[in-house]
Amino acid sequence: MGLSHSSSYHSSHVRSVTESGPVIIEPYSTVYPRLDVLDMYNDEKYRPQFDLLVQSYQAIFDRPYEDMRSFYQIAGIHGLPYSAYDGVKGDHEYHNDTDWAQGRWGGYCHHGDVLFPPWHRPYMMLIESQLISEAKKIASQYPDNEKEKYVDAANQLRHPYWDWADLKAMNGVPEFFTSLEIELNTPKGKKNVTNPLKRYHLPVSLSYPLPDGQNPNDAPNYTLPSMDFNPYTPAGYPTVRHPNSKYEDQDNIMNQNFSVYVPTVFRPGFYQMFHIENFLHFSNHAVRGSNDTEMEDTNPGHPNPLVFVGYAHFASIETTHDGFHLVSGGLAGHLSYPDITGFDPLFFFHHCNVDRMFALWQGVFPNSWIPESVGINGTYTDVLYSKVNENTALTPFRKSTTDFWTSKDVRDVEKLGYTYPDLAKFKGQDPKNLQAYLLELYKPDPHYGRRFYVKLTIEAGKLVGPYSIRVFIDLPSANAETPVTSPHFAGFVAMWRNNAHTKVNSTTYVTGTVDITDCMVKLGIRMQKHDYVQDVNATTGEVKPTSIFDVNHDINIVPVLLDGKSVGPKDAGVTTIEAFSFEHDKVNQNFLVESTGEFYGTKKF
Ligand SMILES: [Cu+2]
């Protein structure tokens, strides 16, 4: 990695304000639900919305790429090409040659700070409002006998979400995201059209060329680039998911991944998240930067996580979200890399679900909100370690010609003109009812009364690029080749890192928690309290239960890079693992009952 990389893409992707700017995002005048995309597709009454949505995606693909309202420009807000969108530079314009080298993130998106959930909210609204405006135009072109139905559908259209933590996601990514063609009822009747939900062809080259063999135009002998480089996408090439040496998608591999990771990673992640009342802990995967006094008190790697109110970053929406990116993209797939992820249209269906999870979490914990904190990665407009709070401008999303949207502005989704079906259903009720519904929806199966966890604390910046840290139980020989279908595989923590972070000025930690209960059940490991053997200390006479775990031997940590290679836990930044459990209070649906917590020990690397 070096400066030459940043300058080579900079010249070819200069973005400028065109006549189409400024792009102002306006709330919708009527509240309609953002539907589950499976309902939109399968339910006759919503199908016209689906017909319009897909055609609208194609329409924004087809807009001139210089247009700020084109898919290319909107997708490029998240990471590359690291240039001003709609002229928004902020007070500290990003300089590829210096800021990038110092580890500042050059996209506008917030990761690893409290603005992760709210920043993506106006981002979703930006693409959604562009799709709605196309849908309205398309609806008016239907023949008279269908026009009314389609005009109504366009008026009610909101971007649908794909719930990839639902049990149905174990079957993989729905076919309407993976087929090259799709049948729609268009203004010219039923037609098979090119499916824009599968992929997007880049109008200009994205990222920078890699050494020979590692670029898509080397197909059929394409060697997937090693994980520390963003894949290069030459102009005219499409986005891909789990590509092979011919630069073709391998949907079977992607879908197998979903069948394994939905129950082991995604569902437990959301299940845990709906127990976390503290916004700081809920909102993002980072624990601490050394410049960040606000976060110091969470003290990662403390010998006993049970003593912390809020369970010390037990689970966050971002950690689970990170897992989706790796699982759907695979090595060299666009979704796997923060810099280029926004160019795969599946990104927006995924982030709509993340926004739904955020809205539902707000519904469960209406009084918990954004504390003042620090943006540890910086963004295109914000320098490293900027203070962030609910009034921070969510650039580049304009509320008016002079103002940007803030988190405070987007706190209530209904005020923006949308809701989610399950959120609407529990409106006005005791938040406990919504929480009980969500815990039931994502509950682990089988549903044991006590659940066991391994929490990992990982120093960020040890490796560049995305990777995952797999947890196996009672398999000291586990390595990168051990199949994740093994009964010993419990789950993973994703490290979704962008490649700019070659230099990190302060120590930042990421935490994630793996639910190992189902794995223990499969392996027949004893789980009940009365199974414990009492251990009497011969000197003091103190009686204490023998731990069911020997943390050093029974929990096996295997970091795996996207290319399948392994590195040791220490090299991957793993500093500490901690094992503990909580009892499930079935009466109050309160799962993480602090008084029932048991701690089994820490292993340091
Ligand atoms: Cu994301």
Side-chain angles (χ1 to χ4, degrees):
M1 302 293 283
L3 298 183
S4 58
H5 292 135
S6 63
S7 44
S8 63
Y9 60 69
H10 189 244
S11 54
S12 57
H13 298 287
V14 172
R15 197 154 35 179
S16 57
V17 195
T18 64
E19 301 161 5
S20 58
V23 181
I24 293 165
I25 304 166
E26 284 172 33
Y28 317 116
S29 52
T30 315
V31 177
Y32 286 111
R34 286 183 176 168
L35 299 171
D36 180 331
V37 70
L38 291 168
D39 291 338
M40 197 187 254
Y41 182 76
N42 291 318
D43 190 330
E44 271 306 303
K45 72 172 176 286
Y46 299 129
R47 193 57 173 270
Q49 292 193 35
F50 186 85
D51 291 333
L52 291 172
L53 177 84
V54 177
Q55 294 175 83
S56 301
Y57 258 101
Q58 189 61 55
I60 63 170
F61 282 10
D62 293 343
R63 290 176 178 178
Y65 79 86
E66 301 90 341
D67 183 341
M68 289 297 137
R69 293 170 174 85
S70 67
F71 183 81
Y72 172 77
Q73 292 291 343
I74 294 171
I77 289 170
H78 195 272
L80 285 171
Y82 293 1
S83 59
Y85 174 83
D86 200 21
V88 180
K89 296 176 178 174
D91 296 332
H92 306 278
E93 186 184 358
Y94 185 80
H95 296 287
N96 282 284
D97 291 345
T98 48
D99 292 316
W100 183 81
Q102 284 166 8
R104 176 171 157 194
W105 170 235
Y108 287 94
C109 72
H110 280 265
H111 287 119
D113 70 52
V114 293
L115 301 186
F116 167 74
W119 184 87
H120 288 79
R121 186 161 273 175
Y123 193 27
M124 275 308 304
M125 283 185 74
L126 172 57
I127 192 158
E128 180 180 58
S129 56
Q130 295 309 313
L131 292 166
I132 292 170
S133 102
E134 289 293 345
K136 287 182 175 165
K137 282 188 243 167
I138 296 164
S140 69
Q141 296 161 16
Y142 278 79
D144 287 347
N145 62 336
E146 289 186 309
K147 192 177 283 181
E148 199 186 320
K149 186 167 75 177
Y150 277 87
V151 168
D152 282 352
N155 286 333
Q156 294 177 25
L157 181 64
R158 297 289 179 267
H159 200 292
Y161 64 89
W162 178 43
D163 185 359
W164 38 265
D166 189 276
L167 284 172
K168 289 193 283 290
M170 286 179 70
N171 301 323
V173 178
E175 218 185 307
F176 50 74
F177 289 123
T178 60
S179 61
L180 283 168
E181 291 203 326
I182 189 162
E183 192 191 61
L184 300 177
N185 186 33
T186 73
K188 290 178 179 148
K190 277 210 188 327
K191 276 172 69 170
N192 273 315
V193 300
T194 302
N195 182 8
L197 308 187
K198 175 169 176 66
R199 60 190 189 179
Y200 171 68
H201 288 78
L202 270 299
V204 287
S205 299
L206 182 66
S207 195
Y208 41 83
L210 294 170
D212 280 353
Q214 295 183 63
N215 299 301
N217 33 14
D218 295 310
N221 301 311
Y222 173 46
T223 309
L224 307 188
S226 64
M227 60 160 243
D228 46 352
F229 292 99
N230 281 315
Y232 172 60
T233 320
Y237 279 69
T239 56
V240 283
R241 303 167 190 154
H242 291 265
N244 62 15
S245 63
K246 295 181 192 156
Y247 198 67
E248 294 165 340
D249 289 354
Q250 300 177 95
D251 291 340
N252 54 336
I253 294 177
M254 176 176 69
N255 290 338
Q256 279 163 18
N257 272 329
F258 275 92
S259 72
V260 172
Y261 298 130
V262 168
T264 54
V265 179
F266 299 162
R267 294 177 61 78
F270 285 141
Y271 187 74
Q272 291 165 38
M273 188 189 86
F274 286 115
H275 291 95
I276 305 300
E277 189 165 359
N278 180 324
F279 188 96
L280 176 67
H281 298 173
F282 149 78
S283 61
N284 75 96
H285 61 213
V287 181
R288 180 179 71 168
S290 59
N291 293 14
D292 183 356
T293 51
E294 306 285 326
M295 292 188 190
E296 289 282 354
D297 64 343
T298 58
N299 194 9
H302 186 278
N304 186 343
L306 301 180
V307 302
F308 290 107
V309 178
Y311 309 98
H313 293 237
F314 175 69
S316 72
I317 189 171
E318 190 177 19
T319 309
T320 305
H321 142 280
D322 291 349
F324 174 90
H325 280 276
L326 302 191
V327 169
S328 57
L331 178 62
H334 290 73
L335 285 162
S336 293
Y337 304 83
D339 274 302
I340 57 176
T341 188
F343 292 93
D344 186 320
L346 184 56
F347 172 91
F348 293 99
F349 293 81
H350 154 55
H351 262 281
C352 191
N353 193 43
V354 173
D355 186 72
R356 166 175 165 258
M357 290 297 172
F358 176 28
L360 289 168
W361 184 89
Q362 290 181 278
V364 174
F365 303 112
N367 300 320
S368 186
W369 188 237
I370 303 172
E372 174 136 314
S373 185
V374 169
I376 57 171
N377 298 315
T379 70
Y380 186 80
T381 51
D382 303 343
V383 293
L384 285 164
Y385 314 119
S386 317
K387 284 260 180 244
V388 289
N389 59 37
E390 65 169 357
N391 297 312
T392 304
L394 302 174
T395 56
F397 308 119
R398 296 180 195 272
K399 187 167 67 169
S400 66
T401 46
T402 51
D403 290 321
F404 294 99
W405 285 95
T406 66
S407 304
K408 197 176 180 181
D409 295 329
V410 300
R411 184 166 179 175
D412 181 350
V413 295
E414 285 205 2
K415 285 194 180 137
L416 303 174
Y418 71 88
T419 184
Y420 292 97
D422 27 20
L423 184 66
K425 206 169 131 194
F426 288 90
K427 194 185 168 182
Q429 291 191 31
D430 184 338
K432 286 260 172 233
N433 296 349
L434 177 60
Q435 185 185 33
Y437 156 81
L438 290 164
L439 296 181
E440 183 65 23
L441 189 61
Y442 297 110
K443 77 177 179 189
D445 184 30
H447 202 185
Y448 284 87
R450 175 168 285 275
R451 299 212 65 97
F452 296 78
Y453 296 98
V454 172
K455 183 179 138 198
L456 288 81
T457 304
I458 306 141
E459 189 183 332
K462 282 276 185 182
L463 295 175
V464 288
Y467 61 101
S468 63
I469 298 166
R470 294 179 185 166
V471 175
F472 292 88
I473 303 301
D474 198 22
L475 191 66
S477 64
N479 59 38
E481 270 86 59
T482 309
V484 289
T485 49
S486 156
H488 295 271
F489 174 70
F492 73 71
V493 172
M495 292 293 284
W496 197 50
R497 308 294 301 168
N498 56 285
N499 293 317
H501 286 256
T502 48
K503 286 180 187 170
V504 178
N505 297 328
S506 70
T507 310
T508 304
Y509 296 93
V510 167
T511 56
T513 304
V514 173
D515 182 336
I516 60 172
T517 320
D518 293 351
C519 186
M520 290 170 68
V521 171
K522 276 187 224 155
L523 297 173
I525 295 173
R526 63 193 171 139
M527 306 173 64
Q528 296 304 317
K529 226 172 179 172
H530 54 71
D531 289 347
Y532 302 153
V533 180
Q534 294 292 303
D535 184 20
V536 185
N537 184 311
T539 319
T540 63
E542 188 193 353
V543 180
K544 57 179 181 185
T546 303
S547 175
I548 56 164
F549 290 109
D550 180 340
V551 176
N552 279 297
H553 291 97
D554 300 346
I555 300 169
N556 317 111
I557 302 298
V558 182
V560 182
L561 314 184
L562 271 183
D563 58 10
K565 292 188 189 112
S566 186
V567 296
K570 215 182 160 123
D571 294 330
V574 180
T575 60
T576 321
I577 60 171
E578 295 148 291
F580 53 94
S581 73
F582 288 106
E583 197 86 49
H584 188 166
D585 166 8
K586 286 205 169 82
V587 180
N588 298 312
Q589 283 295 333
N590 185 1
F591 175 49
L592 304 175
V593 185
E594 219 162 337
S595 61
T596 68
E598 289 181 5
F599 181 59
Y600 306 117
T602 300
K603 178 178 181 178
K604 289 195 185 295
F605 289 88

